[in-house]
Amino acid sequence: MENSNLSQIRRECATTILGLYHRAHAGHIGPSLSCLEILIDLHFKRMRPEDVCILSKGHAAVGLYTVLAKSGRLDPQELDTYYKDGTRLAAHPPCSREIPAIPFGTGSLGHGLSLAAGIAFSQRYTGRSFQVYCVLSDGDCNEGSTWEAALFAGHHALTNLTVVVDANGLQGFGATCDVCGLEPLEEKWRSFGFEVQVAKHGNVFADLDAAHQAAACAAQKSNRPQCIIARTIKGHGVSYMENKMEWHYLPMSETQYQQAVQETEAHA
Amino acid sequence: MRKEFAAWMETYALENQDVIFLTGDLGFMALENVQAAMGTRFVNAGVSEQNMISLAAGMAQQGLKPFCYSIAPFIVFRPAEQIRLDVGLHNMNVKIVGNGGGYGYGIMGATHHALEDLAVLSSFPNLRCFVPYSNEDVKSVCQAMSAYAGSAYLRLGFGAAPVGVDAAQAYAPVRRLTAGHAVTVVGIGPVLLNALAACSALNLSADVFAISELPVSDWGTALAESAARTHKVLVVEEHVQRGGLGEHVAHWLLTRGVHVKWAHAFARGYPNQRYGSQAYHQQLSGLDAESLQAVLRELTHG
């Protein structure tokens, strides 16, 4: 799919996401906008029907729900139930196994990569062949279990596993560099046995695509799992949210919502 | 019980090619036969219990039947959230095997004991905890556990074969081991053998029940009828008082309207901050046969 088409999808998804958060008067807008391009790239461009995506940063659930709905993996009407009593679509992805595109509910950080590695590792025994993608946050990279899974994936050369780190530099209560610095992140993943590529502008489709292609190409030769470090912007596309930790939590006022929609629709 | 488990596992894995065995880097002098029989389906996941449990959940999602093995304290408490969320809440067909439940690892010390495992795991969604009471019981309990296509925990311990008990009895969550009229004794795991020995030493006519599953999936009627008849119940478990068998039995009897004279022998932790063999810790907690004799005397004659 052309990047211009992806940009149009991005605009539509972002508008939907803002509407869902606004109607619910809910937070976690920043994280959803941070990884929106990552999720669109995966679900519209990269993933084949048999491929699997685990969103380890479950707090970006609205981003995931929206992309699944826009890509035909979830009934778009169900989005209207988001955050309401009796919904399947809570603030974090469901654990009910009812939605095939969401094999695992997430929300507590540090689970996604192990789950993804387990699914990828299964292919040694089932003979199936598909790619498993796992989207991690900065916070995920604080968790010891993430690095246990990275050790396992590297050791077992899980070439069918691709990690995408939504590295926006912010986490729950501070900047990652102040809380528990992860740098040099590229070297860390490489030393764990991954084929690493950096998308310098992780909210730009062309950069994501180039990083994925380079990593996949290298992994074919090296038999390593892949890791894309996407240098993203939390709250991307909404000027007053960008790189602001508080937009991990805050809901929008009416005025803020109107401004966010305007900026999103004008977004290139 | 580890030897009996390994023997059962070897056969089961050969008959079921979708079984994958994961170990948290433990099993020396115990699982070599399983490793040899399973080949690449035997995976040492390293000392990373959190990863191992979620990994297994991912494998179960793909239709495989993973078993995760370590010693009981390591396989339960470190990855408790992974068990709760990725296995339990999703009701994944993952079997979690913990060796040395209770004070099983004796002089290894407190870090190696599992005294709260049943309280934790029996409270998790969809988790069924299976506990054999003797070496001879391991096979039937493993068969019952493997027949359940959901999330389960197997607590292995150390237990010799009890004298005068039908070891070939078919599995049930509640099984009568000996019939009697003076007192109802209910136990879980091999510590029940201490209670049997105590009854025998006292020449006591005891109605003795082994509970092999928490939460109990089917209580049957025999236990409540026995308690209503004897009006005296002793519960024995190598597990802390809270959240263990005692609370399950008490709740069951209360909901059936059965009121009894009650005694509960349970693990009391480390009352003197000293360590020793499993027998030493059982004695400190009043779980040894001699202490249980005193409890039974008090219960039946007091």
Side-chain angles (χ1 to χ4, degrees), chain B residues 36-81:
Chain B
M38 293 185 73
T40 57
R41 290 188 291 133
F42 183 99
V43 180
N44 187 344
V47 190
S48 45
E49 295 82 6
Q50 295 176 83
N51 180 54
M52 177 165 69
I53 295 290
S54 301
L55 201 71
M59 299 179 88
Q61 194 270 339
Q62 288 293 303
L64 297 170
K65 293 175 184 163
F67 280 63
C68 296
Y69 176 88
S70 186
I71 73 168
F74 301 168
I75 199 74
V76 174
F77 301 113
R78 174 71 69 97
E81 188 185 69

Side-chain angles (χ1 to χ4, degrees), chain B residues 180-194:
Chain B
H181 56 79
V183 62
T184 304
V185 176
V186 192
I188 191 165
V191 72
L192 180 58
L193 303 182
N194 294 0

Side-chain angles (χ1 to χ4, degrees), chain A residues 52 94-97 100 103-106 108-111 113-123 125-126 128 130 143-145 148-150 152 155-156 158, chain B residues 17 20 22 40-45 47-64 78 81-83 85-87 89-93:
Chain A
V52 172
C95 300
S96 59
R97 299 165 68 183
F104 281 99
T106 48
S108 176
L109 297 177
H111 289 241
L113 189 52
S114 294
L115 294 166
I119 294 171
F121 190 58
S122 296
Q123 295 179 23
Y125 308 103
T126 61
R128 297 183 193 121
F130 57 89
E143 295 278 8
S145 52
E148 288 183 8
F152 184 91
H155 176 80
H156 289 278
L158 300 182
Chain B
Q17 292 296 313
I20 310 294
L22 301 161
T40 57
R41 290 188 291 133
F42 183 99
V43 180
N44 187 344
V47 190
S48 45
E49 295 82 6
Q50 295 176 83
N51 180 54
M52 177 165 69
I53 295 290
S54 301
L55 201 71
M59 299 179 88
Q61 194 270 339
Q62 288 293 303
L64 297 170
R78 174 71 69 97
E81 188 185 69
Q82 279 78 5
I83 297 173
L85 298 181
D86 303 333
V87 175
L89 262 180
H90 292 81
N91 198 15
M92 286 298 176
N93 187 2

Side-chain angles (χ1 to χ4, degrees), chain A residues 29-107:
Chain A
I29 309 168
S32 279
L33 294 178
S34 173
C35 65
L36 182 54
E37 290 81 5
I38 292 170
L39 293 175
I40 290 172
D41 169 88
L42 292 178
H43 289 85
F44 282 88
K45 181 162 189 151
R46 213 155 302 283
M47 288 170 64
R48 299 160 298 172
E50 62 271 28
D51 291 344
V52 172
C53 175
I54 303 281
L55 179 69
S56 192
K57 49 171 292 181
H59 49 281
V62 173
L64 179 67
Y65 299 153
T66 302
V67 170
L68 292 182
K70 296 278 181 192
S71 64
R73 292 171 170 93
L74 179 70
D75 181 356
Q77 286 191 338
E78 192 166 354
L79 291 179
D80 295 335
T81 70
Y82 164 68
Y83 221 74
K84 293 176 181 168
D85 286 348
T87 187
R88 298 199 297 181
L89 308 182
H92 295 88
C95 300
S96 59
R97 299 165 68 183
E98 290 176 344
I99 301 169
I102 305 178
F104 281 99
T106 48

Side-chain angles (χ1 to χ4, degrees), chain B residues 84-158:
Chain B
R84 174 175 171 264
L85 298 181
D86 303 333
V87 175
L89 262 180
H90 292 81
N91 198 15
M92 286 298 176
N93 187 2
V94 173
K95 307 302 189 226
I96 296 158
V97 182
N99 192 50
Y103 295 112
Y105 277 97
I107 192 65
M108 292 296 114
T111 55
H112 283 52
H113 300 157
L115 306 178
E116 311 89 353
D117 52 341
L118 300 173
V120 171
L121 294 188
S122 70
S123 70
F124 281 178
N126 299 311
L127 250 296
R128 285 169 70 177
C129 303
F130 291 85
V131 189
Y133 71 87
S134 74
N135 294 342
E136 282 65 28
D137 193 32
V138 170
K139 187 177 172 185
S140 67
V141 170
C142 285
Q143 283 170 340
M145 178 178 74
S146 59
Y148 168 58
S151 316
Y153 168 62
L154 177 67
R155 185 204 230 211
L156 298 174
F158 302 99

